[in-house]
Amino acid sequence: MNELLPNYIAGRWQHGSGAGTTLVDPVLGHDLVRVDATGLDLHAAFTHARENGGAALRAMSYRERAAMLAAVGQVLQAQREAYHQIAVANSGTVKADSAIDIEGGLYTLAHYAKLGETLGDRRFLLDGEPARLAKDPLFQSQHVQVPTRGVALLINAFNFPSWGLWEKAAPALLSGVPVIVKPATATAWLTQRMVQDVVNAGVLPAGALSVICGSSAGLMDQLQPFDVVSFTGSAETAALIRSHAAVVQRSVRVNVEADSLNSALLLPSEAADSEAFGLLVKEVAREMTQKSGQKCTAIRRIFVPEALYAAAADAIAARLAKTSVGNPRNETVRMGALVNRAQLDSVREGLSTLKTQAEVLFDGSGLPLVDADPAVSCCLPPTLLGCRNPAGADSADRVHDTEVFGPVATLLPYRDAAHALTLIRRGQGSLVASLYGSDAQALAATAIDLADSHGRVHVVSPDVAALHSGHGNVMPQSLHGGPGRAGGGEELGGPRALNFYHRRVALQASSAVIAALNPAVAPVANA
Ligand code: NAP
């Protein structure tokens, strides 16, 4: 039998008592390792993290916790090759796609290590300026933020076992809040290995970081009023979490990053030979194939003026046709596999649903897989769908509400700018929309028009063609999350990420007391 990976809870490595779930190589079909959480003492796990990890972290200043994150980053840097090997085997991703997860996680960690240094030697944050509460300025109100006195339960999706861990854990640990991570079972190996390396290196205080792999059963039951849960995954699981007694009755704070039908929009003023048109085509093809389309931020709907529908279809199809799909160990391969057979089936089912309302503009399934057996591997070449006319874009409701989590997108023609915005809003709230154009005024106005239904608007104009960070790339400096269907959550956004892990309180006192909050005058410890 394959190795059973241990969980790390209550300061000890512990195996589940069940047979476990086997993780599988999605290209070769081999069994890899097993994970199991059966019979773990979850109460002891949460209590240890909350009491020991929390107290130790809160006793440190932001600067000390920032140095701790930097040390975590160094430990992980030294093992990057091992992480890439796990990613190829367990996620079936080509090197560049594994890097989005692995290097993206390390970059985010480094960002928060640097940001933490700027917060200095204090143990709480001042929030805004003092406000006088009466005519006499002596009595004032000052808001402060202190780390929540609980544990952060991080529940992650299968597509980012590294980045998903660190983009949540870095702000939590910097805030002084201990973390228990529950990776998605299908790809739990990389998360488990990273936690193992960090724990074994001894760079974190006891109880600061725990990992539980396998079933999520019972995790939410452990949450107490000052704990928080940060969830990434499907809307269905999000609904279960939101309706759990911990949230409904105990006011556990919850952040949800769910699914999203992200858009790319070519502005009406652009022609088929414009630079902006070329930039849209390039970005769409990249977004459809990167990580086999298994990115929550990937472009799912592409909006072009109706006169450019055929030209856009041809140009995107020509790029997709050049994508070699197959075994990521072969250097000629540009796109690897979907994560497992369940996802392959789910993508095929979603494609059939979309095809009832859209035509197929490019079908890569006729092309041979490279070094991969179609009967065994979970490789699926890209498919571009389309609705031939603007009326079709209106009536095709599945296209606006079915997230196919794979290399699939739909091209939609629009009549005018107002029509494009109406169609985009039918996504009911998305993580990101990208705009392509060359008129700065029109781009800015459209970005503001779309701002209320998106967490991020990514604007690509010719002047930033070689600079922009990519439609789907989540940068720690910018907000990640989206309203409505996207889950209503907020992550990252530089220092904004710390808000979720802090409690804001208004202190009302004499101006002398308020002045004493400044650690330069009188250091205040709240451990
Ligand atoms: P999922 O099935 O909802 O699973 C997400 C996580 O929730 C997994 O760790 C899963 O554990 C756990 N889970 C399942 N049932 C639970 C329960 N009752 N209580 C607590 N946790 C539970 O989603 P997925 O298939 O892994 O991920 C794909 C989806 O995530 C897509 O829809 C994608 O759009 C979305 N996503 C969103 C973002 C974002 O940032 N907005 C990022 C990535 C992915 P098991 O694996 O053990 O079932």
Side-chain angles (χ1 to χ4, degrees):
M1 263 223 255
N2 295 83
E3 181 191 353
L4 179 63
L5 301 180
N7 305 285
Y8 187 72
I9 54 168
R12 284 191 299 123
W13 290 101
Q14 304 183 33
H15 286 107
S17 57
T21 304
T22 302
L23 276 49
V24 177
D25 182 321
V27 178
L28 305 176
H30 298 161
D31 289 352
L32 297 170
V33 291
R34 289 174 300 131
V35 294
D36 184 51
T38 314
L40 297 180
D41 184 346
L42 296 179
H43 179 71
F46 278 71
T47 305
H48 176 76
R50 202 179 284 122
E51 292 181 358
N52 300 44
L57 288 168
R58 287 194 302 275
M60 299 164 82
S61 68
Y62 290 95
R63 199 193 299 281
E64 287 168 330
R65 294 194 292 258
M68 178 187 83
L69 292 187
V72 169
Q74 277 178 3
V75 171
L76 298 173
Q77 287 284 356
Q79 301 297 331
R80 280 160 65 213
E81 199 36 51
Y83 304 150
H84 274 272
Q85 281 175 22
I86 292 174
V88 170
N90 195 186
S91 294
T93 36
V94 294
K95 183 133 191 167
D97 288 352
S98 303
I100 299 172
D101 184 33
I102 296 166
E103 315 301 339
L106 292 180
Y107 176 72
T108 304
L109 197 52
H111 175 83
Y112 280 97
K114 273 208 196 110
L115 189 149
E117 253 180 63
T118 67
L119 299 176
D121 296 319
R122 47 174 65 236
R123 293 179 178 79
F124 64 91
L125 299 172
L126 295 176
D127 179 0
E129 298 294 316
R132 67 161 76 165
L133 294 172
K135 257 191 177 170
D136 187 329
L138 190 63
F139 192 60
Q140 299 190 345
S141 169
Q142 168 72 58
H143 289 85
V144 302
Q145 296 220 59
V146 297
T148 191
R149 217 167 245 270
V151 70
L153 172 61
L154 313 182
I155 302 177
N156 276 328
F158 70 80
N159 54 341
F160 283 108
S162 164
W163 175 82
L165 162 61
W166 298 114
E167 63 101 16
K168 286 179 164 63
L173 293 169
L174 179 59
S175 297
V177 178
V179 158
I180 296 179
V181 59
K182 185 318 202 196
T185 298
T187 56
W189 191 9
L190 181 54
T191 307
Q192 193 273 356
R193 173 62 194 267
M194 286 181 146
V195 172
Q196 183 176 305
D197 289 340
V198 171
V199 166
N200 289 350
V203 291
L204 291 179
L209 180 62
S210 309
V211 62
I212 297 177
C213 303
S215 167
S216 58
L219 292 178
M220 291 291 297
D221 299 338
Q222 295 302 327
L223 296 177
Q224 297 295 321
F226 299 124
D227 296 336
V228 300
V229 58
S230 182
F231 170 79
T232 297
S234 63
E236 293 75 28
T237 313
L240 289 176
I241 286 175
R242 280 209 177 94
S243 55
H244 191 277
V247 178
V248 177
Q249 289 164 18
R250 300 197 285 280
S251 306
V252 164
R253 189 182 280 174
V254 59
N255 190 75
V256 169
E257 300 290 339
D259 53 23
S260 173
L261 283 127
N262 313 294
S263 309
L265 168 65
L266 180 68
L267 258 56
S269 50
E270 300 299 326
D273 60 356
S274 66
E275 216 176 327
F277 179 91
L279 290 168
L280 168 110
V281 168
K282 187 174 167 198
E283 198 63 11
V284 166
R286 181 163 64 179
E287 284 292 311
M288 287 179 68
T289 53
Q290 212 169 46
K291 284 180 74 66
S292 300
Q294 299 170 113
K295 282 192 336 218
C296 52
T297 50
I299 296 171
R300 307 289 178 204
R301 300 178 297 153
I302 310 141
F303 297 91
V304 294
E306 58 181 321
L308 300 189
Y309 178 80
D314 290 349
I316 297 167
R319 278 197 171 254
L320 294 178
K322 289 192 202 139
T323 309
S324 49
V325 183
N327 189 336
R329 295 161 185 89
N330 183 313
E331 283 186 0
T332 66
V333 167
R334 291 285 158 268
M335 186 174 110
L338 293 170
V339 74
N340 57 23
R341 205 137 276 280
Q343 282 303 311
L344 181 64
D345 292 345
S346 155
V347 171
R348 284 186 173 142
E349 195 185 313
L351 249 177
S352 314
T353 303
L354 296 188
K355 280 182 188 170
T356 60
Q357 298 184 336
E359 62 176 334
V360 178
L361 298 173
F362 175 81
D363 177 1
S365 62
L367 305 171
L369 299 180
V370 180
D371 271 358
D373 179 351
V376 174
S377 82
C378 302
C379 295
L380 184 78
T383 305
L384 179 68
L385 302 172
C387 293
R388 188 155 282 282
N389 52 54
D394 282 326
S395 59
D397 31 351
R398 291 291 76 81
V399 164
H400 302 290
D401 71 12
T402 306
E403 184 205 44
V404 180
F405 209 58
V408 179
T410 308
L411 183 65
L412 298 157
Y414 65 81
R415 277 184 293 275
D416 52 32
H419 186 220
L421 298 184
T422 303
L423 289 171
I424 289 175
R425 288 203 184 92
R426 285 182 62 184
Q428 300 288 316
S430 300
L431 296 169
V432 53
S434 53
L435 311 180
Y436 303 80
S438 45
D439 175 343
Q441 293 291 335
L443 287 165
T446 311
I448 293 298
D449 271 332
L450 289 174
D452 55 17
S453 48
H454 293 84
R456 179 162 62 87
V457 180
H458 181 80
V459 182
V460 182
S461 45
D463 54 333
V464 296
L467 295 176
H468 78 95
S469 47
H471 163 107
N473 255 357
V474 177
M475 304 298 286
Q477 297 85 343
S478 297
L479 193 74
H480 175 58
R485 174 179 179 137
E490 282 194 0
E491 285 181 339
L492 301 173
R496 293 165 191 82
L498 307 192
N499 290 341
F500 183 69
Y501 301 99
H502 283 75
R503 299 281 160 186
R504 183 181 286 120
V505 59
L507 300 184
Q508 301 183 165
S510 128
S511 55
V513 176
I514 303 284
L517 293 172
N518 184 341
V521 178
V524 179
N526 79 328

